[in-house]
Amino acid sequence: MPPLFAAGFQTVLLSMLRIILVALLAGILVRRRVIKPQDIDTLSRVTIHVLLPCLILTSLLTQFNPSSSPHWWTLPLASMVMNLAGIFLGWVLFGLRIHENRELIAMCGIQNSAYLVLPVGQALFPGSFDTFAAYCFLFVIGTTPIHWSIGVLLVGGKREIRLKEMINPPLIASLVGVTLVLMGLNQYVPPLVVDSTRFLGNATIPLATFILGATLGEVRLENLPPWHKLLRLSTVKFMLIPLATWGCISALHLPERAPLMASLFMIQAAAAPATNLILQARAYGGKTDLLGGAMLISYAVCLLAIPFWLTLATKG
């Protein structure tokens, strides 16, 4: 292993391990019944409805600059392409049998684009995290509609898609923030409002990390999918999608032209599946045990996948 690659890999891995330690603490508290499932649901609602929208607005109003990032619109577009490509490749690798493997196919394409990526970005890029977060939220704009439409259909077996489920506070905050900036109205937002939203938004990352660990802490391994299905899931999620993403950003010379954006793309490409898929399956009668078992394996693989691909693409 080249020294430069090894050093970069170690740096990213250590940053992720700090996040994993917080998640493990949350998982232990859940296993010990100190934290109950209803407590996780309450924390999730507070984060989704209050804290995360505040972080989104603050990041976009203060860091989103269309003149310096004229191709910002490619972020939500790339997000949709990445998600749909993962779902399509999963469908192909699972033998075109969508009804038998729909939960795993959803996991192939719908990654944890915020709750995992934001803590990783904060650990790796503390000096430019606000800009990283703004890029991340633009990226998530493309993820949300797929997550709450195709994702619900796959993990819950639900045949009806409700528009109100696709419109949520983080998406609204993203659209409002982008609109205000594009119209030049962000400069008229009172500093007191920005400071207040920043104050609340600062609580998002540690709480989101805690929720991630608590959600995984509920999972049991009794219904772990067969190894060959886990291999197919890992092949799509942690090999094919990151490899394709690496090829695209390299062809566009993005690591040299916009290294922070290139890093975001690689972290998103190698991120583990969204834990919200478990919550959706719980709400709509899906196979939560199967999803949970595959989720734990995916996060274990992700611990090495993100450092590997990020280092390879940006420092290798």
Side-chain angles (χ1 to χ4, degrees):
M1 183 180 292
L4 182 61
F5 179 89
F9 181 89
Q10 183 179 18
T11 300
V12 181
L13 180 60
L14 289 176
S15 298
M16 287 197 64
L17 284 176
R18 292 201 294 266
I19 299 167
I20 296 299
L21 286 176
V22 176
L24 283 176
L25 172 62
I28 291 171
L29 292 176
V30 169
R31 295 278 181 157
R32 296 288 185 179
R33 300 301 178 188
V34 176
I35 301 294
K36 299 178 175 59
Q38 56 267 33
D39 298 329
I40 303 173
D41 292 338
T42 300
L43 290 174
S44 296
R45 283 196 296 272
V46 171
T47 302
I48 292 173
H49 290 276
V50 181
L51 303 182
L52 184 56
C54 286
L55 178 61
I56 292 172
L57 273 176
T58 302
S59 299
L60 291 176
L61 292 178
T62 61
Q63 299 298 321
F64 175 39
N65 187 351
S67 60
S68 61
S69 302
H71 302 297
W72 64 268
W73 52 271
T74 61
L75 285 162
L77 181 61
S79 172
M80 298 185 73
V81 171
M82 189 180 294
N83 279 246
L84 292 174
I87 291 172
F88 173 76
L89 290 172
W91 176 59
V92 172
L93 254 67
F94 280 101
L96 311 183
R97 298 177 180 177
I98 194 167
H99 294 294
E100 297 177 18
N101 305 288
R102 61 191 187 194
E103 294 86 5
L104 298 177
I105 292 174
M107 293 177 69
C108 287
I110 300 176
Q111 77 270 22
N112 194 329
S113 54
Y115 276 19
L116 176 63
V117 173
L118 286 172
V120 172
Q122 188 181 54
L124 293 176
F125 314 108
S128 53
F129 174 69
D130 287 341
T131 303
F132 180 90
Y135 287 159
C136 184
F137 297 134
L138 290 169
F139 186 93
V140 170
I141 291 175
T143 302
T144 301
I146 296 174
H147 189 174
W148 289 98
S149 57
I150 299 175
V152 171
L153 286 173
L154 290 174
V155 303
K158 188 178 179 182
R159 293 293 176 260
E160 179 184 355
I161 299 174
R162 297 179 182 177
L163 181 61
K164 66 179 182 180
E165 293 173 346
M166 300 173 61
I167 306 299
N168 52 67
L171 179 61
I172 294 172
S174 298
L175 296 176
V176 169
V178 170
T179 301
L180 289 175
V181 172
L182 292 179
M183 296 180 66
L185 300 177
N186 57 314
Q187 57 185 318
Y188 299 109
V189 179
L192 180 61
V193 173
V194 176
D195 290 340
S196 298
T197 55
R198 179 183 287 111
F199 178 74
L200 288 172
N202 286 339
T204 303
I205 306 304
L207 191 55
T209 306
F210 189 88
I211 293 170
L212 172 61
T215 302
L216 294 176
E218 288 188 288
V219 171
R220 298 294 185 270
L221 291 174
E222 286 82 0
N223 294 322
L224 196 67
W227 69 268
H228 60 88
K229 291 190 176 184
L230 290 173
L231 181 60
R232 293 174 190 175
L233 168 62
S234 298
T235 298
V236 175
K237 192 71 207 71
F238 302 115
M239 290 184 63
L240 297 182
I241 294 299
L243 182 62
T245 302
W246 180 28
C248 290
I249 68 172
S250 297
L252 296 172
H253 304 287
L254 207 59
E256 297 81 21
R257 295 167 51 193
L260 193 64
M261 189 178 293
S263 297
L264 171 72
F265 279 128
M266 288 313 307
I267 294 171
Q268 291 282 2
T275 52
N276 274 346
L277 291 172
I278 298 178
L279 304 180
Q280 290 175 330
R282 181 190 299 170
Y284 300 121
K287 299 177 181 178
T288 55
D289 290 339
L290 183 145
L291 273 168
M295 198 74 69
L296 279 179
I297 300 300
S298 295
Y299 275 82
V301 177
C302 172
L303 181 61
L304 296 177
I306 288 180
F308 175 82
W309 286 108
L310 181 59
T311 305
L312 187 67
T314 60
K315 298 179 181 179

